[in-house]
Amino acid sequence: MKRISLIALVFVSVLFFKANAQEPTTDEKLTEVNDKINGLTERLANDEADLFKLTKIKVSGYMQAQYQYFENPSVQPNNYFSLRRARVKFTYEMIDGVKFVLTPEFVPGNLSVKDAYVVLNDRWSKAFSIWAGKFNRPNYEVEYSSSSRELAERSTIIRTLYPGERAIGAKLEYNPLNVPFHFQLALLNGADGITINNASGTNLNTTENKDFDNYKDIMVRATYNLQLGNFGGLDFGAHGYFGSYKSNALKTLSSNYTTIEDVKFGDAVKRNWAGGEFQLFADILGGLSVKGEYIAGKNASIGYSPVAAVGTTAAIPGVANFQNKFAGYYLYFIKNLGKKNQFAFRYDYYDPNTDITGKDVTIAKYTSADATTLKSRVSGKSDLATSTFGLALHHYFDDNLRISLNYDIVQNEKVGSAGLLTEDYTKADGTKVIKGLDYSNVINQNLLTLRIQAKF
Amino acid sequence: MKSFNIKKFAVVAILLGMVGFAFAPAADRITVKGSDTLVILAQKWAEVYMKSNPNTAIQVTGGGSGTGISALINGATDVANASRKMKPSEREKLKARYNTLGVEVACAKDGITVYLHPSNKVTELSVKQLGEIYKGNIKNWKEVGGADADIRLYGRENSSGTYVFFQENVVKGDYAPNCQTLPGTAAVVNAVKKDVNGIGYGGAAYAEGIEICKVKKDDNSPAYVASAETIKNNQYPITRYLYMYLKNKPTGALKSYIDWILSPEGQKLVVEAGYFPIK
């Protein structure tokens, strides 16, 4: 019995001492916790550093899916769904004052780069910035994002003068602190998005990343924001375009179809215009705005010189360069309806040739004395003015989602009499309608667009 | 589909939209979001106002001035509290979405206070010294008359109006990369309380349990602590207005609330919260 008791005592003692030996002291526990906290703090600091780098990258973008119905009988198919935009914008601002922007577009069947530029801000006065790359041309409607725009498309004149909106070049911006004045001066390649055909109809201006010629175009825009107290504000300004294309022909015809000028290959064919703009914002019944712009000047398209037809000595007649005096404007009225809805209408007008009226079209013509070296040039559809009355209603489900109904009523300038200017067209069933479109009447080009936009 | 049907459809849809939404009644529910500097005061305003106006429900949240202004632009709040002025880029977004320039209401004044640990020997700094400290050019307290110890910087996140105001008016450049950004002025005060070599900045209302550093305009000027008197006399060099931004001119319950905030009763709460009245 004594022996069993002794063994039990030894066993309990061993257990007791073992238990005591394993139990950490308070200091040890504290050290362990401290070590853990220090480890976590170190990890957190590393994670914060990584996170800080990530916060320098901003990703935004938007997608627009739409259904369109065209009333113009010559448009086939006359109704379809399409993806108008699928863009993601990456902005990387590693250090204060240097920003990189890249915007790829992922429309089905076409991957393209919309924006790709670097912005260097002056770190001293913080008023100047230099842009280089591919960016929006300095113009109000061009720079106003289509994700915010109140009508489905930009005005006709803006789409004509600035196709694709962007251009490659460099820009200086001046935005002084505390003064609501903004100034932009851009030097651009100038031929971005322009078609310049040769004698066989091939577009010579297909290299998007290079200039077509050695001439650089200058754009300048200045605006001022005027506060009108409790009423709202008035922004106003002007912009000018001073550029030229390289002549690819030996003649330049004016849009009056009578004046023709001798030029050399490579001479500058001028394209100069100027415009004035305003945007009035009024805090009336939930907010409304009226915006407008008028632009007039001289644009140009490039012809080509006569060439020998393949396999013959006969010459294919050349086409003269063409300089057209134009004018156009747009006027928006936009009204907010509560927090979630917006109504807008816009009237826009574009006359590509102010030298002649609709009654002169097909009558005004230039006939070369030597028909083998220069094609006769007859005024036509491209000289007719277009006016568009657009109506739109938007509903904002939230900050990200907008649904829009847009209806454009399009009117063309009419020619003098029936049969002077006509076009054939093909119906959906394949039937050809000869001279079905007569420009002595208004050709129905009205368009309905139902669009849903997701933005993030 | 005949063309006149489409025209009719478009016109009817637009007219229905106008009639249906133009006169939507405004509810007596006000949401306020934004500046963390203002959040305590804004909550106090809401609490007191709702007691005497039980039909008005006011919801106040923080998040920073930038967050509040973003919420105003995207329609998520009626009022954006901001401890800085609205940026031109933010105003452009407001124009694009609501066709207004917004309404700015200055509702209080604040002196941005510089917090130090009570054991710190340094008691005053010039605006230039503060700028150099936060840029990381002055790294040790002995360079400004303190102990030989590294300066540890605490500041706000870049969505904070205080961050922007302090950067534009004091730092005048980039913050030092080792400046620890913290979510809210209370967190900055707590960090400085626990760190003998710490320095922080924020609204005057939060300055409890720490040493308030006197600030001088330049080396030759006297140093001041932010107070009603020094702010009124333009002696304290880092002062700013605190703002409320609205999309449109206020009407109905919102107008009554704003009017009350600017009344002596509302401005009395400004003083109680540790800020300074606008008049």
Side-chain angles (χ1 to χ4, degrees), chain A residues 69 71 96 123 144 230 233 235 281 283 286-289 334 336 338-339 341-343 391 393 396 399 405 407 444 446, chain B residues 1 3 6-7 9-11 13-14 17-18 21-22 74 78 91-92 95-101 103 174 247-249:
Chain A
Y69 181 85
E71 294 179 20
D96 190 27
R123 295 173 63 114
Y144 195 62
N230 288 336
D235 300 350
F281 299 91
D283 192 353
L288 66 85
S289 65
I334 305 148
N336 278 77
K339 283 184 187 175
N341 299 282
Q342 194 178 59
F343 164 77
L391 296 146
L393 185 67
Y396 292 83
D399 185 32
L405 181 69
Y407 188 64
N444 187 351
N446 299 348
Chain B
M1 198 185 290
S3 64
I6 288 185
K7 280 181 201 165
F9 169 66
V11 171
I14 287 165
M18 288 178 75
F21 299 111
N74 68 36
D78 300 308
R91 205 175 286 280
E92 288 304 316
K95 278 181 187 174
R97 176 64 183 85
Y98 294 104
N99 296 294
T100 66
L101 277 67
V103 176
D174 289 344
K247 285 189 284 283
N248 307 102
K249 284 195 283 277

Short mmCIF file of all heavy atoms in Angstrom, two decimals, chain A residues 69 71 96 123 144 230 233 235 281 283 286-289 334 336 338-339 341-343 391 393 396 399 405 407 444 446, chain B residues 1 3 6-7 9-11 13-14 17-18 21-22 74 78 91-92 95-101 103 174 247-249:
data_model
loop_
_atom_site.label_atom_id
_atom_site.label_comp_id
_atom_site.label_asym_id
_atom_site.label_seq_id
_atom_site.Cartn_x
_atom_site.Cartn_y
_atom_site.Cartn_z
N TYR A 69 -33.94 52.71 -84.97
CA TYR A 69 -34.86 52.53 -86.10
C TYR A 69 -34.68 53.71 -87.06
O TYR A 69 -34.86 54.88 -86.68
CB TYR A 69 -36.31 52.47 -85.60
CG TYR A 69 -37.28 52.27 -86.74
CD1 TYR A 69 -37.56 50.98 -87.22
CD2 TYR A 69 -37.88 53.35 -87.36
CE1 TYR A 69 -38.42 50.80 -88.29
CE2 TYR A 69 -38.75 53.18 -88.43
CZ TYR A 69 -39.01 51.90 -88.90
OH TYR A 69 -39.85 51.71 -89.96
N GLU A 71 -35.77 55.72 -90.42
CA GLU A 71 -36.93 55.89 -91.30
C GLU A 71 -36.51 56.07 -92.76
O GLU A 71 -37.34 55.95 -93.65
CB GLU A 71 -37.76 57.08 -90.83
CG GLU A 71 -38.40 56.82 -89.47
CD GLU A 71 -39.22 58.00 -88.98
OE1 GLU A 71 -39.61 58.85 -89.79
OE2 GLU A 71 -39.45 58.07 -87.76
N ASP A 96 2.35 63.39 -57.99
CA ASP A 96 1.50 64.55 -58.18
C ASP A 96 2.00 65.34 -59.39
O ASP A 96 3.16 65.71 -59.46
CB ASP A 96 1.56 65.41 -56.91
CG ASP A 96 0.51 66.49 -56.94
OD1 ASP A 96 -0.52 66.29 -57.60
OD2 ASP A 96 0.72 67.54 -56.31
N ARG A 123 4.34 72.18 -61.47
CA ARG A 123 4.25 71.97 -60.02
C ARG A 123 4.39 73.27 -59.24
O ARG A 123 4.24 73.28 -58.03
CB ARG A 123 5.33 71.00 -59.58
CG ARG A 123 5.14 69.60 -60.16
CD ARG A 123 6.32 68.76 -59.82
NE ARG A 123 6.43 68.59 -58.37
CZ ARG A 123 6.29 67.45 -57.74
NH1 ARG A 123 6.02 66.38 -58.40
NH2 ARG A 123 6.40 67.38 -56.43
N TYR A 144 -16.99 67.23 -74.27
CA TYR A 144 -18.09 66.85 -73.39
C TYR A 144 -18.37 65.36 -73.63
O TYR A 144 -18.76 64.96 -74.73
CB TYR A 144 -19.31 67.71 -73.74
CG TYR A 144 -20.42 67.69 -72.71
CD1 TYR A 144 -20.19 68.17 -71.43
CD2 TYR A 144 -21.68 67.22 -73.03
CE1 TYR A 144 -21.21 68.17 -70.49
CE2 TYR A 144 -22.70 67.22 -72.10
CZ TYR A 144 -22.46 67.70 -70.83
OH TYR A 144 -23.45 67.70 -69.90
N ASN A 230 -27.23 84.01 -57.50
CA ASN A 230 -28.13 82.90 -57.22
C ASN A 230 -28.77 82.33 -58.48
O ASN A 230 -29.34 81.24 -58.46
CB ASN A 230 -29.27 83.37 -56.29
CG ASN A 230 -28.74 83.61 -54.90
OD1 ASN A 230 -27.72 83.03 -54.52
ND2 ASN A 230 -29.40 84.48 -54.16
N GLY A 233 -24.94 80.45 -63.77
CA GLY A 233 -23.66 80.85 -64.34
C GLY A 233 -23.68 80.84 -65.85
O GLY A 233 -24.51 80.17 -66.47
N ASP A 235 -20.98 80.33 -69.02
CA ASP A 235 -19.64 80.03 -69.55
C ASP A 235 -19.64 80.47 -71.01
O ASP A 235 -20.59 80.15 -71.74
CB ASP A 235 -19.34 78.53 -69.50
CG ASP A 235 -19.40 77.97 -68.09
OD1 ASP A 235 -19.48 78.77 -67.14
OD2 ASP A 235 -19.36 76.74 -67.94
N PHE A 281 -26.28 78.22 -67.37
CA PHE A 281 -26.85 77.30 -66.39
C PHE A 281 -27.71 78.11 -65.43
O PHE A 281 -27.25 79.10 -64.86
CB PHE A 281 -25.74 76.59 -65.60
CG PHE A 281 -24.84 75.77 -66.48
CD1 PHE A 281 -23.69 76.33 -67.02
CD2 PHE A 281 -25.15 74.47 -66.80
CE1 PHE A 281 -22.86 75.60 -67.85
CE2 PHE A 281 -24.33 73.72 -67.63
CZ PHE A 281 -23.19 74.29 -68.16
N ASP A 283 -30.48 78.03 -62.16
CA ASP A 283 -31.07 77.26 -61.07
C ASP A 283 -32.56 77.59 -60.99
O ASP A 283 -33.02 78.25 -60.08
CB ASP A 283 -30.35 77.60 -59.76
CG ASP A 283 -30.70 76.63 -58.65
OD1 ASP A 283 -31.59 75.80 -58.85
OD2 ASP A 283 -30.08 76.73 -57.58
N GLY A 286 -35.38 73.34 -60.51
CA GLY A 286 -34.58 72.12 -60.48
C GLY A 286 -33.38 72.12 -61.40
O GLY A 286 -32.64 71.15 -61.44
N GLY A 287 -33.19 73.17 -62.17
CA GLY A 287 -31.99 73.28 -63.00
C GLY A 287 -32.26 73.14 -64.48
O GLY A 287 -32.91 72.20 -64.92
N LEU A 288 -31.79 74.10 -65.25
CA LEU A 288 -31.88 73.99 -66.71
C LEU A 288 -30.65 74.65 -67.32
O LEU A 288 -29.97 75.46 -66.69
CB LEU A 288 -33.17 74.63 -67.23
CG LEU A 288 -33.39 76.13 -67.11
CD1 LEU A 288 -32.75 76.89 -68.26
CD2 LEU A 288 -34.88 76.42 -67.11
N SER A 289 -30.39 74.28 -68.55
CA SER A 289 -29.27 74.94 -69.23
C SER A 289 -29.60 75.16 -70.70
O SER A 289 -30.41 74.43 -71.29
CB SER A 289 -27.98 74.13 -69.09
OG SER A 289 -28.09 72.91 -69.75
N ILE A 334 -31.83 72.08 -72.06
CA ILE A 334 -31.83 70.88 -71.19
C ILE A 334 -32.51 71.22 -69.88
O ILE A 334 -32.23 72.26 -69.27
CB ILE A 334 -30.38 70.41 -70.92
CG1 ILE A 334 -29.65 70.19 -72.24
CG2 ILE A 334 -30.37 69.14 -70.07
CD1 ILE A 334 -28.18 70.48 -72.17
N ASN A 336 -33.82 69.53 -66.10
CA ASN A 336 -33.93 68.41 -65.17
C ASN A 336 -35.36 68.29 -64.69
O ASN A 336 -36.01 69.30 -64.42
CB ASN A 336 -33.00 68.62 -63.99
CG ASN A 336 -31.60 68.20 -64.33
OD1 ASN A 336 -30.90 68.94 -65.02
ND2 ASN A 336 -31.21 67.03 -63.92
N GLY A 338 -37.01 66.63 -61.71
CA GLY A 338 -36.74 65.92 -60.47
C GLY A 338 -35.30 65.45 -60.46
O GLY A 338 -34.46 65.93 -61.22
N LYS A 339 -35.01 64.48 -59.58
CA LYS A 339 -33.61 64.03 -59.45
C LYS A 339 -33.25 62.98 -60.49
O LYS A 339 -32.09 62.78 -60.81
CB LYS A 339 -33.41 63.38 -58.07
CG LYS A 339 -33.30 64.34 -56.92
CD LYS A 339 -33.01 63.55 -55.66
CE LYS A 339 -33.06 64.45 -54.44
NZ LYS A 339 -32.90 63.69 -53.20
N ASN A 341 -34.77 62.37 -63.73
CA ASN A 341 -35.12 62.48 -65.15
C ASN A 341 -34.61 63.78 -65.76
O ASN A 341 -34.43 64.78 -65.07
CB ASN A 341 -36.64 62.39 -65.33
CG ASN A 341 -37.15 61.07 -64.83
OD1 ASN A 341 -37.04 60.05 -65.49
ND2 ASN A 341 -37.67 61.08 -63.60
N GLN A 342 -34.42 63.72 -67.04
CA GLN A 342 -33.92 64.89 -67.75
C GLN A 342 -34.52 64.90 -69.16
O GLN A 342 -34.64 63.86 -69.80
CB GLN A 342 -32.40 64.77 -67.83
CG GLN A 342 -31.69 66.05 -68.23
CD GLN A 342 -30.18 65.84 -68.23
OE1 GLN A 342 -29.67 64.99 -68.94
NE2 GLN A 342 -29.49 66.61 -67.42
N PHE A 343 -34.88 66.10 -69.58
CA PHE A 343 -35.43 66.28 -70.92
C PHE A 343 -34.49 67.21 -71.68
O PHE A 343 -33.97 68.17 -71.12
CB PHE A 343 -36.84 66.88 -70.81
CG PHE A 343 -37.35 67.46 -72.09
CD1 PHE A 343 -37.81 66.62 -73.09
CD2 PHE A 343 -37.35 68.83 -72.32
CE1 PHE A 343 -38.27 67.13 -74.30
CE2 PHE A 343 -37.82 69.35 -73.52
CZ PHE A 343 -38.28 68.50 -74.50
N LEU A 391 -34.85 65.34 -79.93
CA LEU A 391 -35.54 65.33 -78.63
C LEU A 391 -35.04 64.13 -77.84
O LEU A 391 -34.88 63.04 -78.41
CB LEU A 391 -37.05 65.14 -78.83
CG LEU A 391 -37.79 66.21 -79.57
CD1 LEU A 391 -38.91 65.60 -80.38
CD2 LEU A 391 -38.36 67.20 -78.56
N LEU A 393 -35.17 62.06 -73.82
CA LEU A 393 -35.63 61.92 -72.44
C LEU A 393 -34.73 60.89 -71.78
O LEU A 393 -34.52 59.80 -72.32
CB LEU A 393 -37.09 61.44 -72.42
CG LEU A 393 -37.73 61.36 -71.04
CD1 LEU A 393 -37.91 62.74 -70.43
CD2 LEU A 393 -39.08 60.67 -71.13
N TYR A 396 -32.41 58.36 -65.03
CA TYR A 396 -31.24 57.86 -64.30
C TYR A 396 -31.73 56.92 -63.21
O TYR A 396 -32.36 57.35 -62.25
CB TYR A 396 -30.48 59.02 -63.64
CG TYR A 396 -29.82 59.95 -64.63
CD1 TYR A 396 -30.54 60.98 -65.25
CD2 TYR A 396 -28.47 59.83 -64.94
CE1 TYR A 396 -29.93 61.83 -66.15
CE2 TYR A 396 -27.86 60.69 -65.84
CZ TYR A 396 -28.59 61.67 -66.45
OH TYR A 396 -27.98 62.52 -67.35
N ASP A 399 -26.52 56.43 -60.22
CA ASP A 399 -25.35 57.12 -60.77
C ASP A 399 -24.76 56.35 -61.95
O ASP A 399 -24.14 56.93 -62.84
CB ASP A 399 -24.29 57.24 -59.66
CG ASP A 399 -23.10 58.05 -60.11
OD1 ASP A 399 -23.30 58.96 -60.93
OD2 ASP A 399 -21.98 57.76 -59.67
N LEU A 405 -34.21 57.84 -74.44
CA LEU A 405 -35.00 57.74 -75.67
C LEU A 405 -34.71 59.00 -76.47
O LEU A 405 -34.86 60.11 -75.97
CB LEU A 405 -36.49 57.67 -75.32
CG LEU A 405 -37.45 57.55 -76.49
CD1 LEU A 405 -37.31 56.18 -77.16
CD2 LEU A 405 -38.88 57.75 -76.02
N TYR A 407 -35.05 61.01 -80.32
CA TYR A 407 -35.66 61.02 -81.65
C TYR A 407 -35.12 62.22 -82.43
O TYR A 407 -35.22 63.37 -81.98
CB TYR A 407 -37.19 61.11 -81.53
CG TYR A 407 -37.88 60.94 -82.85
CD1 TYR A 407 -37.78 59.75 -83.56
CD2 TYR A 407 -38.63 61.98 -83.40
CE1 TYR A 407 -38.41 59.59 -84.79
CE2 TYR A 407 -39.26 61.83 -84.63
CZ TYR A 407 -39.14 60.63 -85.31
OH TYR A 407 -39.76 60.47 -86.53
N ASN A 444 -36.73 61.55 -95.88
CA ASN A 444 -36.96 61.16 -94.49
C ASN A 444 -35.72 60.45 -93.93
O ASN A 444 -35.39 59.33 -94.31
CB ASN A 444 -38.17 60.22 -94.41
CG ASN A 444 -38.56 59.94 -92.98
OD1 ASN A 444 -37.84 60.30 -92.05
ND2 ASN A 444 -39.70 59.30 -92.79
N ASN A 446 -35.25 60.54 -90.46
CA ASN A 446 -35.50 60.56 -89.02
C ASN A 446 -35.01 59.27 -88.38
O ASN A 446 -34.99 58.21 -89.00
CB ASN A 446 -36.99 60.74 -88.73
CG ASN A 446 -37.51 62.04 -89.30
OD1 ASN A 446 -36.72 62.89 -89.71
ND2 ASN A 446 -38.82 62.20 -89.38
N MET B 1 -43.37 49.79 -89.53
CA MET B 1 -43.70 50.90 -88.63
C MET B 1 -43.74 52.20 -89.42
O MET B 1 -42.79 52.54 -90.10
CB MET B 1 -42.63 51.01 -87.54
CG MET B 1 -43.09 51.80 -86.35
SD MET B 1 -41.77 52.04 -85.14
CE MET B 1 -41.61 50.37 -84.53
N SER B 3 -43.70 56.21 -90.05
CA SER B 3 -42.89 57.23 -89.39
C SER B 3 -43.70 58.07 -88.40
O SER B 3 -43.23 58.40 -87.34
CB SER B 3 -42.26 58.11 -90.44
OG SER B 3 -43.26 58.81 -91.14
N ILE B 6 -43.88 56.68 -84.94
CA ILE B 6 -42.67 56.83 -84.12
C ILE B 6 -42.59 58.22 -83.55
O ILE B 6 -42.31 58.42 -82.38
CB ILE B 6 -41.43 56.50 -84.97
CG1 ILE B 6 -41.40 55.01 -85.21
CG2 ILE B 6 -40.15 56.97 -84.30
CD1 ILE B 6 -40.18 54.52 -85.93
N LYS B 7 -42.90 59.21 -84.39
CA LYS B 7 -42.88 60.59 -83.91
C LYS B 7 -43.85 60.75 -82.75
O LYS B 7 -43.53 61.31 -81.71
CB LYS B 7 -43.31 61.55 -85.03
CG LYS B 7 -42.21 61.86 -86.02
CD LYS B 7 -42.73 62.82 -87.06
CE LYS B 7 -41.89 62.76 -88.32
NZ LYS B 7 -42.52 63.39 -89.45
N PHE B 9 -45.01 58.47 -80.81
CA PHE B 9 -44.54 57.72 -79.65
C PHE B 9 -43.49 58.52 -78.87
O PHE B 9 -43.55 58.66 -77.65
CB PHE B 9 -43.95 56.39 -80.14
CG PHE B 9 -43.20 55.64 -79.10
CD1 PHE B 9 -43.86 55.12 -77.99
CD2 PHE B 9 -41.83 55.45 -79.21
CE1 PHE B 9 -43.16 54.42 -77.03
CE2 PHE B 9 -41.13 54.76 -78.25
CZ PHE B 9 -41.80 54.24 -77.16
N ALA B 10 -42.56 59.08 -79.64
CA ALA B 10 -41.48 59.84 -79.00
C ALA B 10 -42.02 61.06 -78.27
O ALA B 10 -41.68 61.32 -77.12
CB ALA B 10 -40.45 60.26 -80.04
N VAL B 11 -42.90 61.80 -78.96
CA VAL B 11 -43.43 63.03 -78.36
C VAL B 11 -44.27 62.71 -77.13
O VAL B 11 -44.13 63.35 -76.08
CB VAL B 11 -44.24 63.82 -79.42
CG1 VAL B 11 -44.98 64.98 -78.78
CG2 VAL B 11 -43.31 64.33 -80.50
N ALA B 13 -44.09 60.06 -75.20
CA ALA B 13 -43.22 59.56 -74.13
C ALA B 13 -42.55 60.73 -73.42
O ALA B 13 -42.49 60.78 -72.19
CB ALA B 13 -42.17 58.62 -74.71
N ILE B 14 -42.08 61.67 -74.21
CA ILE B 14 -41.38 62.81 -73.62
C ILE B 14 -42.33 63.67 -72.79
O ILE B 14 -42.03 64.07 -71.67
CB ILE B 14 -40.67 63.63 -74.72
CG1 ILE B 14 -39.44 62.83 -75.21
CG2 ILE B 14 -40.24 64.99 -74.24
CD1 ILE B 14 -38.85 63.30 -76.51
N GLY B 17 -43.21 61.97 -69.63
CA GLY B 17 -42.07 62.07 -68.72
C GLY B 17 -42.04 63.41 -68.02
O GLY B 17 -41.85 63.50 -66.82
N MET B 18 -42.29 64.47 -68.81
CA MET B 18 -42.25 65.81 -68.24
C MET B 18 -43.33 65.99 -67.19
O MET B 18 -43.10 66.47 -66.10
CB MET B 18 -42.44 66.86 -69.34
CG MET B 18 -41.25 67.00 -70.24
SD MET B 18 -41.54 68.19 -71.53
CE MET B 18 -41.38 69.72 -70.62
N PHE B 21 -42.75 63.70 -63.97
CA PHE B 21 -41.63 63.87 -63.06
C PHE B 21 -41.34 65.32 -62.67
O PHE B 21 -40.63 65.55 -61.72
CB PHE B 21 -40.38 63.27 -63.68
CG PHE B 21 -40.51 61.79 -63.94
CD1 PHE B 21 -40.57 61.30 -65.23
CD2 PHE B 21 -40.60 60.91 -62.89
CE1 PHE B 21 -40.70 59.94 -65.47
CE2 PHE B 21 -40.73 59.54 -63.11
CZ PHE B 21 -40.79 59.07 -64.41
N ALA B 22 -41.88 66.25 -63.42
CA ALA B 22 -41.52 67.64 -63.17
C ALA B 22 -42.01 68.12 -61.81
O ALA B 22 -41.39 68.96 -61.18
CB ALA B 22 -42.06 68.55 -64.25
N ASN B 74 -23.93 62.37 -57.59
CA ASN B 74 -24.66 61.19 -58.08
C ASN B 74 -26.04 61.05 -57.47
O ASN B 74 -26.69 60.01 -57.67
CB ASN B 74 -23.81 59.92 -57.96
CG ASN B 74 -23.57 59.52 -56.51
OD1 ASN B 74 -24.43 59.68 -55.65
ND2 ASN B 74 -22.39 59.00 -56.25
N ASP B 78 -28.68 64.94 -50.19
CA ASP B 78 -29.25 66.27 -50.45
C ASP B 78 -28.24 67.36 -50.13
O ASP B 78 -28.25 68.42 -50.75
CB ASP B 78 -30.50 66.49 -49.58
CG ASP B 78 -31.56 65.45 -49.86
OD1 ASP B 78 -31.90 65.28 -51.04
OD2 ASP B 78 -32.04 64.80 -48.91
N ARG B 91 -17.51 70.83 -59.91
CA ARG B 91 -18.58 71.73 -60.37
C ARG B 91 -19.00 71.38 -61.80
O ARG B 91 -20.17 71.42 -62.15
CB ARG B 91 -18.12 73.19 -60.28
CG ARG B 91 -19.26 74.16 -60.14
CD ARG B 91 -18.75 75.57 -59.94
NE ARG B 91 -18.22 75.82 -58.62
CZ ARG B 91 -18.94 76.08 -57.55
NH1 ARG B 91 -20.25 76.12 -57.62
NH2 ARG B 91 -18.38 76.31 -56.38
N GLU B 92 -18.00 71.02 -62.61
CA GLU B 92 -18.31 70.62 -64.00
C GLU B 92 -19.22 69.39 -64.02
O GLU B 92 -20.11 69.28 -64.85
CB GLU B 92 -17.03 70.36 -64.78
CG GLU B 92 -16.21 71.61 -65.12
CD GLU B 92 -17.01 72.65 -65.88
OE1 GLU B 92 -17.74 72.30 -66.81
OE2 GLU B 92 -16.93 73.85 -65.51
N LYS B 95 -22.68 70.43 -63.14
CA LYS B 95 -23.29 71.10 -64.30
C LYS B 95 -23.80 70.06 -65.28
O LYS B 95 -24.90 70.17 -65.82
CB LYS B 95 -22.24 71.94 -65.02
CG LYS B 95 -21.96 73.30 -64.46
CD LYS B 95 -20.90 73.92 -65.37
CE LYS B 95 -20.38 75.22 -64.86
NZ LYS B 95 -19.27 75.71 -65.70
N ALA B 96 -22.96 69.05 -65.54
CA ALA B 96 -23.32 68.04 -66.54
C ALA B 96 -24.53 67.23 -66.10
O ALA B 96 -25.37 66.87 -66.92
CB ALA B 96 -22.14 67.12 -66.80
N ARG B 97 -24.64 66.96 -64.82
CA ARG B 97 -25.72 66.09 -64.36
C ARG B 97 -26.99 66.84 -64.01
O ARG B 97 -28.09 66.37 -64.28
CB ARG B 97 -25.20 65.29 -63.15
CG ARG B 97 -26.21 64.38 -62.47
CD ARG B 97 -26.69 63.27 -63.39
NE ARG B 97 -27.69 62.48 -62.71
CZ ARG B 97 -28.98 62.78 -62.66
NH1 ARG B 97 -29.42 63.87 -63.27
NH2 ARG B 97 -29.84 62.02 -62.02
N TYR B 98 -26.86 68.03 -63.41
CA TYR B 98 -28.05 68.75 -62.92
C TYR B 98 -28.25 70.12 -63.56
O TYR B 98 -29.20 70.82 -63.22
CB TYR B 98 -28.00 68.90 -61.40
CG TYR B 98 -28.10 67.57 -60.69
CD1 TYR B 98 -26.98 66.97 -60.13
CD2 TYR B 98 -29.30 66.88 -60.62
CE1 TYR B 98 -27.05 65.74 -59.52
CE2 TYR B 98 -29.39 65.65 -60.00
CZ TYR B 98 -28.26 65.08 -59.46
OH TYR B 98 -28.34 63.86 -58.86
N ASN B 99 -27.32 70.53 -64.41
CA ASN B 99 -27.43 71.84 -65.08
C ASN B 99 -27.45 73.00 -64.11
O ASN B 99 -28.07 74.04 -64.38
CB ASN B 99 -28.66 71.87 -65.99
CG ASN B 99 -28.53 70.86 -67.10
OD1 ASN B 99 -27.67 71.00 -67.96
ND2 ASN B 99 -29.34 69.82 -67.07
N THR B 100 -26.84 72.83 -62.97
CA THR B 100 -26.70 73.93 -62.01
C THR B 100 -25.25 74.00 -61.56
O THR B 100 -24.48 73.06 -61.76
CB THR B 100 -27.57 73.72 -60.75
OG1 THR B 100 -27.06 72.58 -60.04
CG2 THR B 100 -29.02 73.52 -61.09
N LEU B 101 -24.90 75.11 -60.94
CA LEU B 101 -23.55 75.26 -60.41
C LEU B 101 -23.48 74.86 -58.94
O LEU B 101 -22.45 74.96 -58.31
CB LEU B 101 -23.07 76.71 -60.56
CG LEU B 101 -22.50 77.09 -61.91
CD1 LEU B 101 -23.56 77.07 -63.00
CD2 LEU B 101 -21.87 78.46 -61.85
N VAL B 103 -25.19 75.17 -54.88
CA VAL B 103 -25.34 76.30 -53.95
C VAL B 103 -24.37 76.06 -52.79
O VAL B 103 -24.35 74.99 -52.20
CB VAL B 103 -26.78 76.38 -53.44
CG1 VAL B 103 -26.93 77.48 -52.39
CG2 VAL B 103 -27.74 76.62 -54.60
N ASP B 174 3.76 67.87 -52.21
CA ASP B 174 3.34 66.50 -51.86
C ASP B 174 3.63 66.21 -50.38
O ASP B 174 4.67 66.62 -49.86
CB ASP B 174 4.12 65.49 -52.70
CG ASP B 174 3.66 65.52 -54.15
OD1 ASP B 174 2.58 66.08 -54.40
OD2 ASP B 174 4.38 65.00 -55.01
N LYS B 247 -27.51 70.96 -54.47
CA LYS B 247 -27.59 70.98 -55.94
C LYS B 247 -28.27 72.25 -56.43
O LYS B 247 -27.88 72.87 -57.39
CB LYS B 247 -28.41 69.78 -56.44
CG LYS B 247 -27.68 68.47 -56.38
CD LYS B 247 -28.47 67.39 -57.08
CE LYS B 247 -29.63 66.91 -56.25
NZ LYS B 247 -29.27 66.02 -55.16
N ASN B 248 -29.37 72.59 -55.74
CA ASN B 248 -30.20 73.71 -56.17
C ASN B 248 -30.48 74.62 -54.97
O ASN B 248 -30.19 74.26 -53.83
CB ASN B 248 -31.56 73.23 -56.69
CG ASN B 248 -31.42 72.18 -57.75
OD1 ASN B 248 -31.60 71.00 -57.49
ND2 ASN B 248 -31.09 72.60 -58.95
N LYS B 249 -31.10 75.75 -55.28
CA LYS B 249 -31.56 76.63 -54.20
C LYS B 249 -32.50 75.80 -53.32
O LYS B 249 -33.41 75.14 -53.85
CB LYS B 249 -32.32 77.83 -54.76
CG LYS B 249 -31.40 78.88 -55.36
CD LYS B 249 -32.12 80.18 -55.57
CE LYS B 249 -33.01 80.18 -56.79
NZ LYS B 249 -32.36 80.45 -58.05
#
